[in-house]
Amino acid sequence: MKTDLSYLRDIYGKKAVDRAAAMLQDLEIEVPSWGFGRGGTRFGSYPEVGDARTVEDRIERARQFHTRTGQGRRVAMHFPWDGETAEDIRGLAAALRRAGLEAGAVNSNLFTMRAGDGLDHRLRYGSLTNPDKEVREASVRHNLDCVRIMRILGAKTLSLWLPDGTNSPGQMSFYDQAERLDDAIRAIARALRPGEKLLIEYKIFEPGMYSTAIPDYSRALALCEIAGKNSGVLVDLGHHAPTTNIEQIVAFLLRAGRLGGFHFNDKKYADDDLASGSIDPAQLFRIFVVILEAMARRLVRFKDIAFMIDESHQIKDALEEMVESVTNIEIALAKAALVDFDKLWRHQRACEISAADSVLHHAFHADVRPLVEAVRTERLRSRQ
Amino acid sequence: MKTDLSYLRDIYGKKAVDRAAAMLQDLEIEVPSWGFGRGGTRFGSYPEVGDARTVEDRIERARQFHTRTGQGRRVAMHFPWDGETAEDIRGLAAALRRAGLEAGAVNSNLFTMRAGDGLDHRLRYGSLTNPDKEVREASVRHNLDCVRIMRILGAKTLSLWLPDGTNSPGQMSFYDQAERLDDAIRAIARALRPGEKLLIEYKIFEPGMYSTAIPDYSRALALCEIAGKNSGVLVDLGHHAPTTNIEQIVAFLLRAGRLGGFHFNDKKYADDDLASGSIDPAQLFRIFVVILEAMARRLVRFKDIAFMIDESHQIKDALEEMVESVTNIEIALAKAALVDFDKLWRHQRACEISAADSVLHHAFHADVRPLVEAVRTERLRSRQ
Amino acid sequence: MKTDLSYLRDIYGKKAVDRAAAMLQDLEIEVPSWGFGRGGTRFGSYPEVGDARTVEDRIERARQFHTRTGQGRRVAMHFPWDGETAEDIRGLAAALRRAGLEAGAVNSNLFTMRAGDGLDHRLRYGSLTNPDKEVREASVRHNLDCVRIMRILGAKTLSLWLPDGTNSPGQMSFYDQAERLDDAIRAIARALRPGEKLLIEYKIFEPGMYSTAIPDYSRALALCEIAGKNSGVLVDLGHHAPTTNIEQIVAFLLRAGRLGGFHFNDKKYADDDLASGSIDPAQLFRIFVVILEAMARRLVRFKDIAFMIDESHQIKDALEEMVESVTNIEIALAKAALVDFDKLWRHQRACEISAADSVLHHAFHADVRPLVEAVRTERLRSRQ
Amino acid sequence: MKTDLSYLRDIYGKKAVDRAAAMLQDLEIEVPSWGFGRGGTRFGSYPEVGDARTVEDRIERARQFHTRTGQGRRVAMHFPWDGETAEDIRGLAAALRRAGLEAGAVNSNLFTMRAGDGLDHRLRYGSLTNPDKEVREASVRHNLDCVRIMRILGAKTLSLWLPDGTNSPGQMSFYDQAERLDDAIRAIARALRPGEKLLIEYKIFEPGMYSTAIPDYSRALALCEIAGKNSGVLVDLGHHAPTTNIEQIVAFLLRAGRLGGFHFNDKKYADDDLASGSIDPAQLFRIFVVILEAMARRLVRFKDIAFMIDESHQIKDALEEMVESVTNIEIALAKAALVDFDKLWRHQRACEISAADSVLHHAFHADVRPLVEAVRTERLRSRQ
């Protein structure tokens, strides 16, 4: 792909293109270590020789990814998948360093059974909301362990996705569930130091099939109120009911000062975990428009938001699909960065709606690939 | 239908049946004046000779409904549909009195154009969130008028459903929209006196087809924070995205002390406004279970919640469909009232999930029609 | 917008761009007369001075539209909205001629009451499936009238959207409904001469809120089997359940030789009737990819498919929104026409999926606006 | 639970209760061997000591289930899960015999990798629709093996659920996919002898996240046309888009003579595989109403339909949840059997819709548990 920007400059003007380039340069996308392995569904996975299986494999792929795209300097980790013992963690820190990478968000894992820790088959009934106090305590403890891991790795963010939920209406009282969860979040948040951040993710369903403990951003927001200032809501694009207007949620959270970050991916049906922007690129564009508008209104800065990918690469080569994803995200941002907000607002406030929509269309229809390519080239050059 | 309770007492015990009867007696369901007219869709309505057309017709139907079911002592009103001038309102108050009824919630109407008031064709761009200040002010003013109407009618509740939204991504900034709405709610809430209540309704879509200004309970909750203590969220069963777990939202709002009330109806697809309990009676049952559990936990009392019907009767006779609806609601409550919560909680806390679910099934499968009929008969007798 | 194609030719090659231009030239989009009026929802419409109100107004707008875009030579009509008496129809034919337009599909209207014809308030219970034989016969008769209107107008297509359905599970037997519908379709199809075509539209819900008589393409297909060779399924993009893969349905119907045509529009929630391509342009692109692939496989020709717009313009100026829509459709087609199918198939058959997806991405990311503009200019020039 | 029928006979009359009892006696529900094991999600499973792990364990549970409920005389099997070698199959046949059970539908498994058979990691790209001919042929061969297994087991039904689909729009051509599938179905159907039946299941998504090869009943129906007379569509209640009216699909298939059978389960969100009737018992009731109406119209007999359970028991004890499910199915049937169709039709045809709906309500609100219990007792007694 060429990096000739003359077509874009002709249409949008040099100033707008430069501004878009600057934004692209500022965007830092974090990639998940688990995304470099072979994903699967409940029906199974189809591994192949050459798939990344160990944490070393995954870090090597992350290194290749970073070398190729300039993105993914920070890699989100998942524990105990990415290490269990203190030695593992120290080895991991060294491996990241060697690869020229940093640890991104540390994700606690409350759905994988491990022996002798309380986190056994009883996880079936929940982790932080389990009726059994022993399991609840072990689940909190695992998060505190993750905080310690964060510090060893030099990470600043604990990312919490809760697999808790129910499969039948009688299984658990919503009130008991909520009380237990409030208590657990309080305990976890207490362990965090200034400068460390807790991201709380919500998800409408799965693995809970009748309900989940944090089904929507409203519940996540209430938990952030408990956790305190250094917490934020984590928006995973695949975790909403069909037809939900996600960009409006993003705007709401930005306005409330509670947008912690994103798990980018795409979906057609449920939490499909497909490549970002592969199904609905216009939605991804609108999400960035809403973010950039908040920036223009000085509600937020890029660096306040954790831009992370969370996908499951089942069919394609994981590295290739990660490149596709990050490229789609950059394309969406670049298009959004071409929106002329002053013009948009002027038309909106005058009820000139066709004209207002045209401002968005004009940006969306741009072929920004040369710009994305140019910034990437520049980014890679500057790293050398 | 017979009112012999021996079958129920045999299975559930006299004490449980008596408790359920007491709850049924305590339940007061409010009916909407507009629900006694002939509803329609955007494709039209099919009126017939004999349909209720005037507010007098609607109050006469409400009177008949109340005489037949003992429910509907309070009738929710919609303005300007139910009257415009001061004389209209005084006439309305008298008519209600004559019919032995009271005014329930006063619903402001921000979607019907009226000449010479700012609420003209510009309503197309929104009411409380309109870019045009004149329309916004007229919209606030209409709500203040409704507060005055409340006082004339002796009503205590202002019910606000906002038709504002957008049909395209460029139409309005979510940030402008939110600011305007916050301001308007502040102005309206300020007009309320102690003992008067503001209910704020949310709706995922329609008439806005790309977004609505209050799409979900989270946004409604944020507006209640602005409005202050005497406000609550109004849950309309038809206003959620497909697959949403409504009973969990109800539990959340009850725990937060912000469940203002319900607009009961049923749906299969969108905001279908079908007869309550006609499509998914099990969901209605679960909603009452969640309410009764909150009562058992002393989080709420019946009288803190406004139980209202909001339906559109397009095909069947409106009076008949209202009777069907209120009966279905009473059936759902009666079943929920047979739930043995102590037993349920015991099983839940011991992870005996099949047993816990059985407690709910046992209540749901009861044929409570004799009980509903008995309480209705008693209620009607006591009114004489 | 400029019409300089050098950017596109640089990237895609002259041959591909020429081929895309040729396809754009071949595409004929039909516009609906009703789309030039002010639309509304069940909550009302917000008309304004200057809105098109009469059929004359609508034809004048259609003329302006055609003059501006070169599309819309054929205008779909809706009866009795666009005329009732024989004189009306003759006047309409003359008006179209004067405007340089032709009548497109003739749409029968089975949801608007008219006096003294059997099509009175009983339409509430259905038209072609009404329990009352008199209403069924009047409904068939109206379609036969529409066939006569077709012939006066020189139209070749009868477009049937059935408002029939039910609002409660007990309202009608699915078996009775299906038998009545089969009979009615048989009677209507019998009236058509060779060269005349019946398009049968399906819709998952609305106005029926519990069921519709033709809810999906499967039922429409079964009716086409009854109607015979000169019938096809009409795919309205807004008429599916959430998450449905529409492009796969299009491929199915093309393969079965039964894709009659499209009603283009866009949606986020239900049958929102928004501007085509305004919410999900990638879906529109994929639909055209599936069509062009069928053409490449010689399963269909452009002229076998009726490309029609069906939208409700509620907020924006109707003419402006129609221009936006047709432009978005042309953009989607132009992008799809840049897909290199030979390359795509080669990669697909070798399980090189990232490469295969890249072929689609490469086409989708093109900025085809200059091409669309160039073809439009040429089209307008050639008309003079 | 008591088995005293006097309450029911008082309300519905002895004749109606007897008729319902006779229908309950006729209903034969098949259970899946895989449903007696511990299910899981893509996030894992939480096995426990005592879970059924081997096919022997599963048959022992099936025996217990049959002894307890009288249902489940036929057990659906899944291969290679339930056996691979000829010796396995003979052992299985003997084990079933010893347990007093029979083999129900034989389910081929095209999603579990096995070495050295073509069904390796390439299954990732599909089975019957795989671009690679070797995998397609191995997939057909596995189905032919299953036919041979059927004959050894004395089974009559091959049940085909296809995991094929795609995760991105470019992965596979819908046309290639359809052609390959048509060919494969033809080859499989050819292997069946008179009296043997092929059931074809559809599913809107999962494991394919962008599309599935048989997404809906329309595609399944088209494949049945290819397969010939001895094939039918298999309706799994969890395999539809949100809001789909399943009972109408059932009626359509019954009318077309193509309803092969059911996979009963329940859902709130996606293919949740929850206990039948645990979330939406009213839908289950409506499905049986539609079946019994077809029987009343002599369109079908019970024995023409395979009533099967397909659930994933993740949290509760599998045996307990299977008992819950079969009981809920029997309850739904018993209620439907109390519908007075003559009365229903009379009201429907006279447009007396409230009265028509009352007929359904009257049946739905019955407490049929004593009847279900009485028939179960009788069934168990007669088996001794």
Side-chain angles (χ1 to χ4, degrees), chain A residues 7 12 269 279 316 324 357 361 367 369, chain C residues 7 12 243 286 316 324 357 361 367 369:
Chain A
Y7 146 80
Y12 299 91
Y269 305 97
I279 302 297
K316 297 183 197 173
E324 176 190 338
D357 280 321
H361 291 174
D367 181 353
R369 290 173 297 171
Chain C
Y7 146 81
Y12 299 91
T243 79
R286 293 194 300 265
K316 297 183 197 174
E324 178 190 336
D357 279 321
H361 291 174
D367 181 354
R369 290 174 295 172

PDB file of all heavy atoms in Angstrom, chain A residues 7 12 269 279 316 324 357 361 367 369, chain C residues 7 12 243 286 316 324 357 361 367 369:
ATOM      1  N   TYR A   7      -3.797  12.526  -2.430  1.00  0.00           N
ATOM      2  CA  TYR A   7      -5.245  12.385  -2.638  1.00  0.00           C
ATOM      3  C   TYR A   7      -6.010  12.902  -1.411  1.00  0.00           C
ATOM      4  O   TYR A   7      -6.965  13.670  -1.511  1.00  0.00           O
ATOM      5  CB  TYR A   7      -5.587  10.916  -2.941  1.00  0.00           C
ATOM      6  CG  TYR A   7      -6.917  10.457  -2.401  1.00  0.00           C
ATOM      7  CD1 TYR A   7      -8.104  10.750  -3.068  1.00  0.00           C
ATOM      8  CD2 TYR A   7      -6.988   9.732  -1.214  1.00  0.00           C
ATOM      9  CE1 TYR A   7      -9.323  10.341  -2.554  1.00  0.00           C
ATOM     10  CE2 TYR A   7      -8.205   9.320  -0.695  1.00  0.00           C
ATOM     11  CZ  TYR A   7      -9.376   9.630  -1.371  1.00  0.00           C
ATOM     12  OH  TYR A   7     -10.575   9.221  -0.855  1.00  0.00           O
ATOM     13  N   TYR A  12      -9.231  16.810   1.801  1.00  0.00           N
ATOM     14  CA  TYR A  12      -9.491  17.225   3.193  1.00  0.00           C
ATOM     15  C   TYR A  12      -8.603  18.380   3.656  1.00  0.00           C
ATOM     16  O   TYR A  12      -8.834  18.935   4.731  1.00  0.00           O
ATOM     17  CB  TYR A  12      -9.325  16.018   4.131  1.00  0.00           C
ATOM     18  CG  TYR A  12     -10.305  14.931   3.794  1.00  0.00           C
ATOM     19  CD1 TYR A  12      -9.970  13.924   2.901  1.00  0.00           C
ATOM     20  CD2 TYR A  12     -11.588  14.961   4.313  1.00  0.00           C
ATOM     21  CE1 TYR A  12     -10.888  12.951   2.546  1.00  0.00           C
ATOM     22  CE2 TYR A  12     -12.513  13.991   3.963  1.00  0.00           C
ATOM     23  CZ  TYR A  12     -12.156  12.986   3.069  1.00  0.00           C
ATOM     24  OH  TYR A  12     -13.078  12.051   2.730  1.00  0.00           O
ATOM     25  N   TYR A 269     -23.563 -11.699  16.040  1.00  0.00           N
ATOM     26  CA  TYR A 269     -24.640 -12.349  16.800  1.00  0.00           C
ATOM     27  C   TYR A 269     -24.499 -12.131  18.303  1.00  0.00           C
ATOM     28  O   TYR A 269     -25.322 -11.482  18.916  1.00  0.00           O
ATOM     29  CB  TYR A 269     -24.673 -13.841  16.485  1.00  0.00           C
ATOM     30  CG  TYR A 269     -24.798 -14.127  15.024  1.00  0.00           C
ATOM     31  CD1 TYR A 269     -23.679 -14.410  14.228  1.00  0.00           C
ATOM     32  CD2 TYR A 269     -26.033 -14.082  14.395  1.00  0.00           C
ATOM     33  CE1 TYR A 269     -23.794 -14.648  12.869  1.00  0.00           C
ATOM     34  CE2 TYR A 269     -26.157 -14.320  13.030  1.00  0.00           C
ATOM     35  CZ  TYR A 269     -25.031 -14.601  12.277  1.00  0.00           C
ATOM     36  OH  TYR A 269     -25.151 -14.819  10.943  1.00  0.00           O
ATOM     37  N   ILE A 279     -16.888  -6.739  10.681  1.00  0.00           N
ATOM     38  CA  ILE A 279     -18.320  -6.878  10.374  1.00  0.00           C
ATOM     39  C   ILE A 279     -18.979  -5.505  10.272  1.00  0.00           C
ATOM     40  O   ILE A 279     -19.708  -5.233   9.337  1.00  0.00           O
ATOM     41  CB  ILE A 279     -19.032  -7.710  11.473  1.00  0.00           C
ATOM     42  CG1 ILE A 279     -18.392  -9.089  11.615  1.00  0.00           C
ATOM     43  CG2 ILE A 279     -20.526  -7.823  11.184  1.00  0.00           C
ATOM     44  CD1 ILE A 279     -18.487  -9.967  10.405  1.00  0.00           C
ATOM     45  N   LYS A 316      -8.331 -18.069  11.199  1.00  0.00           N
ATOM     46  CA  LYS A 316      -7.145 -17.502  10.546  1.00  0.00           C
ATOM     47  C   LYS A 316      -5.926 -17.641  11.453  1.00  0.00           C
ATOM     48  O   LYS A 316      -6.039 -17.865  12.657  1.00  0.00           O
ATOM     49  CB  LYS A 316      -7.367 -16.012  10.290  1.00  0.00           C
ATOM     50  CG  LYS A 316      -8.489 -15.687   9.345  1.00  0.00           C
ATOM     51  CD  LYS A 316      -8.512 -14.161   9.144  1.00  0.00           C
ATOM     52  CE  LYS A 316      -9.837 -13.725   8.548  1.00  0.00           C
ATOM     53  NZ  LYS A 316      -9.957 -12.270   8.501  1.00  0.00           N
ATOM     54  N   GLU A 324      -4.785  -7.451  10.936  1.00  0.00           N
ATOM     55  CA  GLU A 324      -6.031  -6.973  10.303  1.00  0.00           C
ATOM     56  C   GLU A 324      -6.810  -6.101  11.281  1.00  0.00           C
ATOM     57  O   GLU A 324      -7.303  -5.022  10.940  1.00  0.00           O
ATOM     58  CB  GLU A 324      -6.875  -8.183   9.878  1.00  0.00           C
ATOM     59  CG  GLU A 324      -8.225  -7.802   9.290  1.00  0.00           C
ATOM     60  CD  GLU A 324      -9.153  -9.011   9.095  1.00  0.00           C
ATOM     61  OE1 GLU A 324      -8.671 -10.160   9.018  1.00  0.00           O
ATOM     62  OE2 GLU A 324     -10.382  -8.783   9.052  1.00  0.00           O
ATOM     63  N   ASP A 357     -25.085  15.230   8.627  1.00  0.00           N
ATOM     64  CA  ASP A 357     -24.728  13.850   8.261  1.00  0.00           C
ATOM     65  C   ASP A 357     -23.656  13.820   7.175  1.00  0.00           C
ATOM     66  O   ASP A 357     -22.798  12.944   7.166  1.00  0.00           O
ATOM     67  CB  ASP A 357     -25.974  13.084   7.803  1.00  0.00           C
ATOM     68  CG  ASP A 357     -26.812  12.590   8.979  1.00  0.00           C
ATOM     69  OD1 ASP A 357     -26.210  12.151   9.981  1.00  0.00           O
ATOM     70  OD2 ASP A 357     -28.043  12.636   8.902  1.00  0.00           O
ATOM     71  N   HIS A 361     -20.328  11.545   6.681  1.00  0.00           N
ATOM     72  CA  HIS A 361     -20.117  10.752   5.465  1.00  0.00           C
ATOM     73  C   HIS A 361     -18.804  11.128   4.799  1.00  0.00           C
ATOM     74  O   HIS A 361     -18.072  10.270   4.320  1.00  0.00           O
ATOM     75  CB  HIS A 361     -21.242  10.988   4.451  1.00  0.00           C
ATOM     76  CG  HIS A 361     -22.564  10.422   4.876  1.00  0.00           C
ATOM     77  ND1 HIS A 361     -23.709  10.622   4.166  1.00  0.00           N
ATOM     78  CD2 HIS A 361     -22.910   9.661   5.933  1.00  0.00           C
ATOM     79  CE1 HIS A 361     -24.716  10.022   4.774  1.00  0.00           C
ATOM     80  NE2 HIS A 361     -24.249   9.429   5.851  1.00  0.00           N
ATOM     81  N   ASP A 367     -10.517   7.283   1.834  1.00  0.00           N
ATOM     82  CA  ASP A 367      -9.617   6.124   1.806  1.00  0.00           C
ATOM     83  C   ASP A 367      -8.367   6.532   2.586  1.00  0.00           C
ATOM     84  O   ASP A 367      -7.464   7.180   2.048  1.00  0.00           O
ATOM     85  CB  ASP A 367      -9.273   5.748   0.368  1.00  0.00           C
ATOM     86  CG  ASP A 367      -8.359   4.526   0.334  1.00  0.00           C
ATOM     87  OD1 ASP A 367      -7.896   4.070   1.412  1.00  0.00           O
ATOM     88  OD2 ASP A 367      -8.097   4.021  -0.776  1.00  0.00           O
ATOM     89  N   ARG A 369      -6.148   4.595   3.989  1.00  0.00           N
ATOM     90  CA  ARG A 369      -5.085   3.602   4.068  1.00  0.00           C
ATOM     91  C   ARG A 369      -3.694   4.181   3.850  1.00  0.00           C
ATOM     92  O   ARG A 369      -2.752   3.810   4.568  1.00  0.00           O
ATOM     93  CB  ARG A 369      -5.371   2.440   3.096  1.00  0.00           C
ATOM     94  CG  ARG A 369      -6.556   1.586   3.559  1.00  0.00           C
ATOM     95  CD  ARG A 369      -6.930   0.550   2.525  1.00  0.00           C
ATOM     96  NE  ARG A 369      -7.386   1.170   1.282  1.00  0.00           N
ATOM     97  CZ  ARG A 369      -7.608   0.511   0.152  1.00  0.00           C
ATOM     98  NH1 ARG A 369      -7.417  -0.807   0.108  1.00  0.00           N
ATOM     99  NH2 ARG A 369      -8.039   1.137  -0.923  1.00  0.00           N
TER     100      ARG A 369
ATOM    101  N   TYR C   7      -6.865   8.421  -9.069  1.00  0.00           N
ATOM    102  CA  TYR C   7      -6.555   7.734  -7.808  1.00  0.00           C
ATOM    103  C   TYR C   7      -7.051   6.282  -7.851  1.00  0.00           C
ATOM    104  O   TYR C   7      -6.342   5.335  -7.514  1.00  0.00           O
ATOM    105  CB  TYR C   7      -7.166   8.508  -6.623  1.00  0.00           C
ATOM    106  CG  TYR C   7      -7.649   7.649  -5.489  1.00  0.00           C
ATOM    107  CD1 TYR C   7      -6.749   7.148  -4.542  1.00  0.00           C
ATOM    108  CD2 TYR C   7      -9.004   7.316  -5.363  1.00  0.00           C
ATOM    109  CE1 TYR C   7      -7.200   6.332  -3.496  1.00  0.00           C
ATOM    110  CE2 TYR C   7      -9.447   6.505  -4.329  1.00  0.00           C
ATOM    111  CZ  TYR C   7      -8.555   6.009  -3.396  1.00  0.00           C
ATOM    112  OH  TYR C   7      -8.986   5.205  -2.399  1.00  0.00           O
ATOM    113  N   TYR C  12      -6.599   0.328  -8.514  1.00  0.00           N
ATOM    114  CA  TYR C  12      -7.362  -0.844  -8.946  1.00  0.00           C
ATOM    115  C   TYR C  12      -7.152  -1.197 -10.413  1.00  0.00           C
ATOM    116  O   TYR C  12      -7.585  -2.264 -10.853  1.00  0.00           O
ATOM    117  CB  TYR C  12      -8.852  -0.621  -8.651  1.00  0.00           C
ATOM    118  CG  TYR C  12      -9.093  -0.430  -7.172  1.00  0.00           C
ATOM    119  CD1 TYR C  12      -9.086   0.835  -6.596  1.00  0.00           C
ATOM    120  CD2 TYR C  12      -9.256  -1.526  -6.333  1.00  0.00           C
ATOM    121  CE1 TYR C  12      -9.258   1.006  -5.231  1.00  0.00           C
ATOM    122  CE2 TYR C  12      -9.412  -1.364  -4.962  1.00  0.00           C
ATOM    123  CZ  TYR C  12      -9.416  -0.091  -4.422  1.00  0.00           C
ATOM    124  OH  TYR C  12      -9.556   0.062  -3.070  1.00  0.00           O
ATOM    125  N   THR C 243     -29.840  -9.544  13.960  1.00  0.00           N
ATOM    126  CA  THR C 243     -28.654 -10.384  13.702  1.00  0.00           C
ATOM    127  C   THR C 243     -28.750 -11.264  12.456  1.00  0.00           C
ATOM    128  O   THR C 243     -27.774 -11.906  12.103  1.00  0.00           O
ATOM    129  CB  THR C 243     -28.288 -11.317  14.908  1.00  0.00           C
ATOM    130  OG1 THR C 243     -29.134 -12.462  14.935  1.00  0.00           O
ATOM    131  CG2 THR C 243     -28.353 -10.586  16.236  1.00  0.00           C
ATOM    132  N   ARG C 286     -21.808  -5.923   1.295  1.00  0.00           N
ATOM    133  CA  ARG C 286     -21.793  -7.390   1.202  1.00  0.00           C
ATOM    134  C   ARG C 286     -22.965  -7.914   0.374  1.00  0.00           C
ATOM    135  O   ARG C 286     -22.834  -8.912  -0.347  1.00  0.00           O
ATOM    136  CB  ARG C 286     -21.830  -8.010   2.609  1.00  0.00           C
ATOM    137  CG  ARG C 286     -20.571  -7.739   3.418  1.00  0.00           C
ATOM    138  CD  ARG C 286     -20.471  -8.626   4.663  1.00  0.00           C
ATOM    139  NE  ARG C 286     -21.578  -8.451   5.576  1.00  0.00           N
ATOM    140  CZ  ARG C 286     -21.583  -7.637   6.638  1.00  0.00           C
ATOM    141  NH1 ARG C 286     -20.522  -6.892   6.924  1.00  0.00           N
ATOM    142  NH2 ARG C 286     -22.629  -7.567   7.418  1.00  0.00           N
ATOM    143  N   LYS C 316     -35.402  14.596   7.976  1.00  0.00           N
ATOM    144  CA  LYS C 316     -34.750  15.388   6.930  1.00  0.00           C
ATOM    145  C   LYS C 316     -35.730  15.699   5.803  1.00  0.00           C
ATOM    146  O   LYS C 316     -36.774  15.060   5.671  1.00  0.00           O
ATOM    147  CB  LYS C 316     -33.589  14.591   6.327  1.00  0.00           C
ATOM    148  CG  LYS C 316     -32.467  14.259   7.281  1.00  0.00           C
ATOM    149  CD  LYS C 316     -31.372  13.522   6.507  1.00  0.00           C
ATOM    150  CE  LYS C 316     -30.429  12.814   7.455  1.00  0.00           C
ATOM    151  NZ  LYS C 316     -29.459  11.988   6.735  1.00  0.00           N
ATOM    152  N   GLU C 324     -29.268  11.131  -0.720  1.00  0.00           N
ATOM    153  CA  GLU C 324     -28.291  10.458   0.134  1.00  0.00           C
ATOM    154  C   GLU C 324     -28.382   8.940  -0.040  1.00  0.00           C
ATOM    155  O   GLU C 324     -27.368   8.249  -0.164  1.00  0.00           O
ATOM    156  CB  GLU C 324     -28.561  10.839   1.612  1.00  0.00           C
ATOM    157  CG  GLU C 324     -27.633  10.155   2.597  1.00  0.00           C
ATOM    158  CD  GLU C 324     -28.082  10.345   4.060  1.00  0.00           C
ATOM    159  OE1 GLU C 324     -28.791  11.332   4.358  1.00  0.00           O
ATOM    160  OE2 GLU C 324     -27.714   9.489   4.893  1.00  0.00           O
ATOM    161  N   ASP C 357     -10.171 -12.430   2.704  1.00  0.00           N
ATOM    162  CA  ASP C 357     -10.796 -11.252   3.318  1.00  0.00           C
ATOM    163  C   ASP C 357     -10.155  -9.961   2.817  1.00  0.00           C
ATOM    164  O   ASP C 357     -10.839  -8.945   2.657  1.00  0.00           O
ATOM    165  CB  ASP C 357     -10.702 -11.337   4.850  1.00  0.00           C
ATOM    166  CG  ASP C 357     -11.784 -12.242   5.448  1.00  0.00           C
ATOM    167  OD1 ASP C 357     -12.917 -12.204   4.944  1.00  0.00           O
ATOM    168  OD2 ASP C 357     -11.478 -12.984   6.392  1.00  0.00           O
ATOM    169  N   HIS C 361     -11.726  -6.397   1.693  1.00  0.00           N
ATOM    170  CA  HIS C 361     -11.316  -5.134   2.330  1.00  0.00           C
ATOM    171  C   HIS C 361     -10.776  -4.155   1.295  1.00  0.00           C
ATOM    172  O   HIS C 361     -11.067  -2.964   1.340  1.00  0.00           O
ATOM    173  CB  HIS C 361     -10.198  -5.376   3.364  1.00  0.00           C
ATOM    174  CG  HIS C 361     -10.655  -6.114   4.568  1.00  0.00           C
ATOM    175  ND1 HIS C 361      -9.790  -6.543   5.547  1.00  0.00           N
ATOM    176  CD2 HIS C 361     -11.887  -6.505   4.973  1.00  0.00           C
ATOM    177  CE1 HIS C 361     -10.473  -7.181   6.479  1.00  0.00           C
ATOM    178  NE2 HIS C 361     -11.732  -7.163   6.165  1.00  0.00           N
ATOM    179  N   ASP C 367     -12.248   4.729  -2.071  1.00  0.00           N
ATOM    180  CA  ASP C 367     -13.098   5.926  -2.106  1.00  0.00           C
ATOM    181  C   ASP C 367     -13.653   6.030  -3.522  1.00  0.00           C
ATOM    182  O   ASP C 367     -12.990   6.539  -4.417  1.00  0.00           O
ATOM    183  CB  ASP C 367     -12.290   7.167  -1.738  1.00  0.00           C
ATOM    184  CG  ASP C 367     -13.170   8.421  -1.743  1.00  0.00           C
ATOM    185  OD1 ASP C 367     -14.347   8.323  -2.146  1.00  0.00           O
ATOM    186  OD2 ASP C 367     -12.669   9.478  -1.331  1.00  0.00           O
ATOM    187  N   ARG C 369     -16.288   7.672  -4.543  1.00  0.00           N
ATOM    188  CA  ARG C 369     -17.146   8.824  -4.822  1.00  0.00           C
ATOM    189  C   ARG C 369     -16.856   9.489  -6.166  1.00  0.00           C
ATOM    190  O   ARG C 369     -17.799   9.862  -6.877  1.00  0.00           O
ATOM    191  CB  ARG C 369     -17.056   9.826  -3.669  1.00  0.00           C
ATOM    192  CG  ARG C 369     -17.721   9.289  -2.396  1.00  0.00           C
ATOM    193  CD  ARG C 369     -17.517  10.216  -1.224  1.00  0.00           C
ATOM    194  NE  ARG C 369     -16.105  10.310  -0.858  1.00  0.00           N
ATOM    195  CZ  ARG C 369     -15.613  11.169   0.026  1.00  0.00           C
ATOM    196  NH1 ARG C 369     -16.428  12.042   0.608  1.00  0.00           N
ATOM    197  NH2 ARG C 369     -14.333  11.175   0.324  1.00  0.00           N
TER     198      ARG C 369
END
